[in-house]
Amino acid sequence: MEPIYDEIIIVGINWKNKLNWYVADKFLWIMNLEMLSKEDIENYFQDEELRNKRQNIKVLSEENIEMFLERIQENKLEENELRLKILNRIEKEDEEIDEYYPTLLLDFDNKILYSQYPEPFSFENYVPENWEGKYESFFDNIEDENRYWIYKDRNLLK
Amino acid sequence: MANNNDKMAYQRLFRIQGGIEPSRSREYLTIVNDRIKASIWKAIYIGDSEHMLHFLLNKRLKAGKIKNVPEDVSKYGLHVIEMYVPYWFVHLLENCARSQFDTKEKGMKKVGFPKLVDKTMPGHSYEVSRWWTALLVESCVYAKDNPIKSKEDIYSLLEYEEIEKHPELITPLNMEKLSKVMDECQIPPEMLQKLRDVWGLDIKEGGR
């Protein structure tokens, strides 16, 4: 699956001290769907992908993360795969690489959602009750081995 | 958001562009001769002054209040595009807007009605498709690019004179182009009729 700016986003999930990257519809990552209106929830589940992956997971949390991770296995990309995608894009001399910025970090170990989403939607406001949502950069929270945007000491996103 | 007091009034809509990666909005709109020009036809986000202020202070600058805006705010490269539109445009926007999640129906997907986004944020903000961006371009009577280089620039956005006091700034609408764009937006017939009856707009059927 290819990232598309403001539609298909890159999200990091930290669970049991391991970080993995996923590429999926941005609305998949609204953790607490119960905060949406009834009409919005009905519309939400009209989308096949969202329905398949969030069925019976109206509030995504550490209690159902294992089930969710199984469902989104196909959306998982290794660091090398993401790195290659950026390199291929740069090679095409395409100026826009905004879609390769990681947008969200869902830290299930510490119950914090970090958002760097640049457009008007506050993912950080849609977290479960015992979670904290933050709108701030999370680059420094990512270990070197998970920084797919680094290639031979060069930041590909700059 | 729409003001019912004067049907001929103009209202301001805003778009924030620029910023520092990764929280940066692309420069899709430019201002040429006080009119909007779209550099690329994609969906964009626009909002009222309340939303603009919240987004600017809390998302782009993380300042919370204007007084907390840093002295070196110019480093963010932020621009607030200020757009004056007739009240009927705002009325149209509000009444045609769909849920942000109402995107997968083929009809909506084809037409691209505006979407009301993130109700947890103050004010009103909309994602408008490229068709509606074209409608915004044709409806906007005056636009201004406001680079944010100091907190005074933000205060200035809040203190403004109604454009009706400066008629020389108001660009007349091109009804032929407007009719064509409204046809492409597939504005419901009853809304078009209201534009004719209430606002006296000479909207042609089928854009002709």
Side-chain angles (χ1 to χ4, degrees):
Chain A
M1 182 167 270
E2 288 296 321
I4 299 174
Y5 180 76
D6 196 30
E7 290 183 31
I8 311 293
I9 62 175
I10 299 175
V11 175
I13 292 185
N14 184 46
W15 174 236
K16 294 182 178 174
N17 213 30
K18 182 160 171 45
L19 176 68
N20 285 303
W21 297 105
Y22 296 85
V23 179
D25 187 314
K26 67 181 180 186
F27 290 139
L28 184 67
W29 310 103
I30 300 174
M31 292 190 77
N32 191 346
L33 295 176
E34 289 181 347
M35 294 180 69
L36 299 176
S37 68
K38 189 176 167 207
E39 182 198 356
D40 281 347
I41 293 175
E42 282 174 9
N43 282 319
Y44 184 95
F45 283 105
Q46 282 184 2
D47 179 274
E48 187 181 351
E49 190 198 357
L50 298 178
R51 187 171 59 247
N52 289 342
K53 289 174 179 164
R54 291 295 299 265
Q55 196 66 39
N56 299 321
I57 304 181
K58 277 202 176 160
V59 182
L60 178 61
S61 71
E62 60 280 11
E63 293 179 16
N64 47 36
I65 181 62
E66 293 282 359
M67 175 167 63
F68 183 65
L69 289 177
E70 278 181 25
R71 294 182 185 178
I72 62 171
Q73 192 60 26
E74 63 178 1
N75 299 95
K76 184 177 163 187
L77 284 177
E78 299 295 332
E79 283 78 3
N80 283 337
E81 291 175 287
L82 285 166
R83 191 173 291 123
L84 194 56
K85 285 182 187 295
I86 304 177
L87 287 168
N88 285 339
R89 176 65 69 87
I90 291 172
E91 202 173 294
K92 288 178 187 172
E93 295 180 2
D94 196 323
E95 291 181 6
E96 295 177 353
I97 56 168
D98 293 16
E99 45 263 59
Y100 292 100
Y101 278 89
T103 303
L104 303 173
L105 171 63
L106 274 58
D107 185 347
F108 282 81
D109 290 341
N110 296 296
K111 300 189 186 62
I112 303 175
L113 178 149
Y114 297 90
S115 172
Q116 301 182 143
Y117 181 65
E119 301 295 355
F121 188 87
S122 297
F123 289 94
E124 66 275 16
N125 289 351
Y126 291 90
V127 295
E129 269 186 30
N130 58 342
W131 273 61
E132 190 181 355
K134 296 185 179 184
Y135 187 76
E136 63 182 49
S137 171
F138 56 79
F139 284 121
D140 290 343
N141 299 58
I142 309 298
E143 300 289 340
D144 288 346
E145 68 208 44
N146 298 120
R147 295 185 180 191
Y148 63 84
W149 54 88
I150 302 296
Y151 176 65
K152 293 183 179 178
D153 291 330
R154 176 187 159 202
N155 186 339
L156 299 175
L157 298 177
K158 294 282 182 199
Chain B
M1 185 164 75
N3 182 353
N4 227 348
N5 293 335
D6 184 354
K7 63 186 183 199
M8 298 308 293
Y10 296 94
Q11 296 203 317
R12 296 189 302 166
L13 293 174
F14 298 87
R15 172 174 166 74
I16 295 172
Q17 303 189 149
I20 293 179
E21 300 289 4
S23 301
R24 180 180 74 90
S25 294
R26 293 167 166 175
E27 288 78 17
Y28 285 152
L29 299 183
T30 54
I31 307 299
V32 178
N33 296 329
D34 300 335
R35 297 295 304 278
I36 309 170
K37 189 173 174 180
S39 59
I40 188 168
W41 294 101
K42 283 192 175 183
I44 64 170
Y45 292 88
I46 59 175
D48 60 14
S49 58
E50 193 181 355
H51 172 264
M52 176 273 294
L53 195 62
H54 165 81
F55 195 77
L56 185 64
L57 293 178
N58 295 303
K59 292 283 180 146
R60 287 289 176 265
L61 298 173
K62 299 187 178 70
K65 296 181 179 180
I66 300 177
K67 65 178 184 178
N68 298 332
V69 169
E71 293 301 320
D72 60 347
V73 63
S74 61
K75 74 177 182 184
Y76 290 85
L78 288 163
H79 290 250
V80 177
I81 306 297
E82 186 180 5
M83 301 169 280
Y84 288 79
V85 296
Y87 161 64
W88 57 256
F89 179 86
V90 178
H91 175 82
L92 211 54
L93 192 62
E94 290 179 346
N95 285 277
C96 290
R98 300 291 189 266
S99 156
Q100 190 172 20
F101 305 97
D102 191 8
T103 59
K104 303 302 179 181
E105 293 180 27
K106 289 179 183 176
M108 291 296 114
K109 201 172 182 179
K110 182 183 176 185
V111 171
F113 277 104
K115 289 177 266 185
L116 183 63
V117 301
D118 198 6
K119 300 168 191 172
T120 65
M121 291 170 72
H124 294 81
S125 61
Y126 299 89
E127 181 186 350
V128 293
S129 63
R130 59 190 175 92
W131 294 278
W132 277 75
T133 299
L135 182 57
L136 174 66
V137 168
E138 292 306 324
S139 305
C140 179
V141 296
Y142 175 74
K144 189 179 169 203
D145 182 353
N146 298 284
I148 304 300
K149 296 182 179 176
S150 69
K151 58 184 77 170
E152 283 66 40
D153 291 331
I154 303 176
Y155 281 123
S156 297
L157 286 170
L158 303 179
E159 299 154 3
Y160 74 103
E161 247 191 342
E162 292 161 350
I163 197 165
E164 290 89 327
K165 294 183 181 173
H166 299 278
E168 72 281 4
L169 294 177
I170 298 174
T171 302
L173 299 173
N174 181 322
M175 294 311 302
E176 193 177 330
K177 278 190 181 177
L178 195 57
S179 296
K180 183 172 182 296
V181 168
M182 283 202 182
D183 185 59
E184 287 168 354
C185 288
Q186 297 188 32
I187 306 292
E190 61 273 16
M191 290 216 180
L192 288 178
Q193 197 56 47
K194 187 171 182 180
L195 294 181
R196 295 185 190 103
D197 295 342
V198 177
W199 286 281
L201 292 182
D202 185 19
I203 304 294
K204 310 290 183 203
E205 282 295 339
R208 292 185 295 278

